[in-house]
Amino acid sequence: MTTLNSASRTARERARAELTREIKEEARRQLAAHGAQGLSLRSVARELGMVSSALYRYFASRDELLTALIIDAYDALGEAAERAGSGLPAADVRGRWRATCGAIRSWALASPHEYALIYGSPVPGYRAPQVTVASAIRVARVLGGILADAAAGSRPPQPPAGPLPPELAGQTASVADAIAPGVDGGVIARALIAWTQLFGMISFELFGQFVGSLEPAGAFFGYAVEQMADFIGLP
């Protein structure tokens, strides 16, 4: 009896996992067609041939479904960034930076609607819950690993001359504690400037801001990535 109950439970779990996957896939199709603001559980249920009450057993609200999609997007991006430099020596911090930036851009170009969900305009009325943080920080931890290894190398990045403003010093110390313990706050500040520049470039490319000037953007992107590495002080 125990074996039968276990087999039945496993079959139900597989069926639930498969339907959850189908729900999220349909939700992503609706994101592509209508944006996050146009996403609704009723429309997802209708497209899957389900009654909406059945869908609510999987996701209690549109916001819960959005949260699941956001976590999936952050995890996919984090995995791409983690994998990018995994085959390079730890000491090759510039090569890892270059590979990480390229992987983030490649993921964004391949998944523009998921990128827009996590780095585009906020969804009115939605506030991402704390549960998204662990996935959101994965890609930043890759940057932290690069900075920590650079700081431990024979030619560590040099912080800018002069102290940081007190408020910024506290903020960079918190960032360092989260992703790169022991790295100087000035180096963290420069890395964050480069990090925001990276995502700004990707957003400009995805949302059409380079049309008529820097399109295709590959050459500009590669040049900027090297300039940002110099700015951070990566050897």
Side-chain angles (χ1 to χ4, degrees):
M1 181 64 71
T2 301
T3 301
L4 288 175
N5 288 341
S6 178
S8 177
R9 184 169 61 251
T10 300
R12 287 196 302 270
E13 290 170 351
R14 284 200 301 265
R16 183 178 181 85
E18 176 61 21
L19 187 50
T20 300
R21 183 189 63 78
E22 291 178 6
I23 290 168
K24 290 195 288 188
E25 284 185 353
E26 175 57 34
R28 291 187 187 98
R29 283 192 287 270
Q30 295 198 17
L31 281 179
H34 310 296
Q37 297 181 53
L39 179 65
S40 77
L41 290 184
R42 288 184 180 276
S43 60
V44 170
R46 183 173 59 250
E47 292 299 322
L48 293 176
M50 301 171 60
V51 295
S52 56
S53 58
L55 190 61
Y56 283 103
R57 293 199 292 268
Y58 292 83
F59 296 99
S61 65
R62 183 217 59 168
D63 283 4
E64 189 174 300
L65 177 55
L66 266 179
T67 296
L69 298 178
I70 287 169
I71 289 173
D72 284 353
Y74 276 131
D75 280 337
L77 176 58
E79 182 179 350
E82 290 160 0
R83 189 170 56 245
S86 61
L88 296 173
D92 185 9
V93 290
R94 183 176 284 254
R96 288 162 56 200
W97 163 259
R98 187 184 300 121
T100 298
C101 292
I104 292 170
R105 176 176 179 253
S106 293
W107 181 86
L109 293 178
S111 309
H113 305 294
E114 286 84 355
Y115 177 90
L117 180 63
I118 55 178
Y119 290 112
S121 299
V123 181
Y126 173 81
R127 184 178 179 86
Q130 187 70 18
V131 71
T132 61
V133 172
S135 297
I137 203 172
R138 284 180 66 175
V139 69
R141 288 192 188 280
V142 175
L143 171 65
I146 293 170
L147 295 177
D149 288 338
S154 59
R155 288 188 295 157
Q158 296 302 306
L164 297 175
E167 183 177 16
L168 179 57
Q171 292 168 339
T172 57
S174 295
V175 172
D177 287 343
I179 66 170
V183 174
D184 183 89
V187 174
I188 293 287
R190 286 193 173 187
L192 290 175
I193 291 171
W195 201 238
T196 54
Q197 173 71 16
L198 169 66
F199 285 93
M201 287 192 302
I202 292 171
S203 294
F204 263 47
E205 183 176 6
L206 279 183
F207 304 145
Q209 301 301 317
F210 286 156
V211 173
S213 58
L214 292 170
E215 191 181 52
F220 172 69
F221 184 86
Y223 177 80
V225 164
E226 297 301 327
Q227 295 298 308
M228 290 188 289
D230 289 341
F231 178 70
I232 298 169
L234 300 180

